[in-house]
Amino acid sequence: MNHTQLIEYFAQVIQSIFSRVNNAKDLTNDKNAQELITAILKSLDDLGIKTSEVMPQELEKTYLQAISSATQDLVAQKVKVDALKPADVIKKKLHVAALTSLVRDTLQDLRVAIRAAKQSATTTIKKVLSKTKREIAKGLIQGNGRKIVAKRVAQAFREEGLVCFKTADNKRLRLDKYAKVVVSYKMRESATQGASNRYLESGVGLVKVSSQKPTCKVCGRFSGMVVSLTGKHKGFKSIKDKGVKLAPYHPHCKCTVSPYVTDYKTDGEIQNEKDKWKNWREEDDNRSQSEKKAYDKEQDIRRKAHEELKAYERYTAVLGKDAPKTIGAFRRIKRNGGKSWQKLQVAYRQANRELKTNG
């Protein structure tokens, strides 16, 4: 299993947990409720085990690939490098320390997230069951109590059951979404560190940042800039300066670095690179209007797809087996509109009213 498959595995496990919650039998029975919680916790523990198996190998593989690519870049620019293979290069102290730190931080982030998700899952189920049982006992819920309990638990679980992280602006990230962010970010960080450290040990302390187009405001800010890795290059800002760093600049960042060798540059070329920093400000957006529009269009497509996924999860939590079986089926019904979509909306609204009426 590679890191991409690990991200998919997280999503599959989370969906299987949701399915288990949606199909749980008589959660008013304490034994059934505890069995559900136990099964969920086991699934999350299995995720932790799989993560510990996959990520160290994937981070090392990416780091090795970065060393190999960096070596080729250095040779292409006529920089003398040692003849060691990447697998031998990585045994050097500089690389061992970097890779050890990457693996430790990555596994720690994901372990903390899984622990938080386990706590969230247990708390959410117990809280909903406790409240609903009290309402049943007081006669506040009419009709099929078991059905109401199952739908309430499923709905609450979709919203809170596997939340593992809250952002600074109070957005809640579910475990699979957070894991995707962490894995993507750390893999890119591994590539950047592997390349940068290879340049440094070969005597090259300047790197040039490149980004894919269209790009975001943050990546656009550094795209094309030459950055010092040591802070010892007059006229160039370095990663030690406030607001200056190397990729990744955000989750899913695709920016890369390449060696900037001054030996084969004219004084004018070097000065041009230095001049770029004279008017550089951390808050500026350096992209062209056409690039901004292209990026916004790309993000709009992604946002709509994400909104459809969230809507599908809401419908599934409320309708259970009566919801479309897959996100693909849901998207087809929604985008085609017509009677099928109208029928699904009516069923969803009716089920929601039943929950509110009995709540």
Side-chain angles (χ1 to χ4, degrees), residues 51-62:
T51 297
S52 296
E53 293 173 353
V54 173
M55 285 311 298
Q57 295 179 2
E58 284 293 281
L59 289 166
E60 180 175 333
K61 182 171 71 175
T62 297

Side-chain angles (χ1 to χ4, degrees), residues 70-299:
T71 300
Q72 293 175 19
D73 291 339
L74 289 166
V75 171
Q77 296 199 42
K78 300 179 182 180
V79 176
K80 185 178 180 181
V81 295
D82 57 53
L84 294 175
K85 295 179 180 179
D88 295 320
V89 173
I90 205 173
K91 295 176 183 178
K92 294 182 178 181
K93 185 177 180 180
L94 173 67
H95 300 296
V96 170
L99 193 52
T100 298
S101 178
L102 278 165
V103 171
R104 183 188 63 240
D105 292 348
T106 302
L107 293 182
Q108 178 66 12
D109 281 351
L110 292 173
R111 284 168 184 159
V112 169
I114 291 172
R115 282 202 301 270
K118 289 170 69 175
Q119 181 62 48
S120 178
T122 303
T123 301
T124 299
I125 292 175
K126 288 184 175 180
K127 183 178 179 180
V128 174
L129 288 177
S130 177
K131 179 182 178 181
T132 309
K133 284 181 180 180
R134 288 197 303 270
E135 292 176 356
I136 291 175
K138 293 178 180 179
L140 299 176
I141 291 180
Q142 304 296 321
N144 190 331
R146 293 180 182 180
K147 184 178 179 180
I148 296 298
V149 168
K151 287 191 173 182
R152 280 194 181 181
V153 169
Q155 189 174 38
F157 200 82
R158 282 281 175 182
E159 296 172 357
E160 296 284 351
L162 292 169
V163 171
C164 66
F165 184 79
K166 287 188 178 181
T167 62
D169 55 356
N170 212 34
K171 290 182 180 179
R172 296 169 296 183
L173 287 182
R174 204 170 65 195
L175 177 60
D176 53 332
K177 309 300 181 185
Y178 182 71
K180 184 176 182 179
V181 168
V182 171
V183 171
S184 298
Y185 189 90
K186 289 298 183 180
M187 292 298 289
R188 178 56 60 183
E189 185 178 3
S190 182
T192 299
Q193 285 199 24
S196 298
N197 286 339
R198 184 59 167 154
Y199 300 147
L200 270 177
E201 69 179 1
S202 302
V204 177
L206 290 171
V207 296
K208 191 162 192 172
V209 179
S210 299
S211 63
Q212 293 184 359
K213 307 293 183 180
T215 192
C216 68
K217 175 181 178 179
V218 179
C219 295
R221 188 179 300 150
F222 291 98
S223 183
M225 303 300 290
V226 174
V227 183
S228 171
L229 299 176
T230 63
K232 297 179 180 179
H233 300 85
K234 187 177 180 180
F236 292 99
K237 286 188 178 295
S238 81
I239 55 175
K240 298 182 179 181
D241 292 324
K242 183 179 181 298
V244 179
K245 58 174 293 190
L246 300 181
Y249 300 112
H250 56 79
H252 316 306
C253 178
K254 296 295 190 296
C255 292
T256 58
V257 295
S258 58
Y260 186 80
V261 183
T262 57
D263 293 352
Y264 305 103
K265 301 288 190 302
T266 66
D267 291 342
E269 288 174 330
I270 297 172
Q271 189 58 49
N272 285 338
E273 297 298 342
K274 291 181 179 180
D275 289 344
K276 291 180 183 179
W277 286 113
K278 290 181 179 179
N279 297 317
W280 184 89
R281 293 190 304 174
E282 186 179 355
E283 64 274 15
D284 285 349
D285 187 346
N286 301 319
R287 299 173 299 167
S288 66
Q289 286 301 317
S290 61
E291 187 176 0
K292 291 177 185 178
K293 289 181 180 179
Y295 178 76
D296 289 344
K297 182 179 179 180
E298 187 179 85
Q299 291 302 107

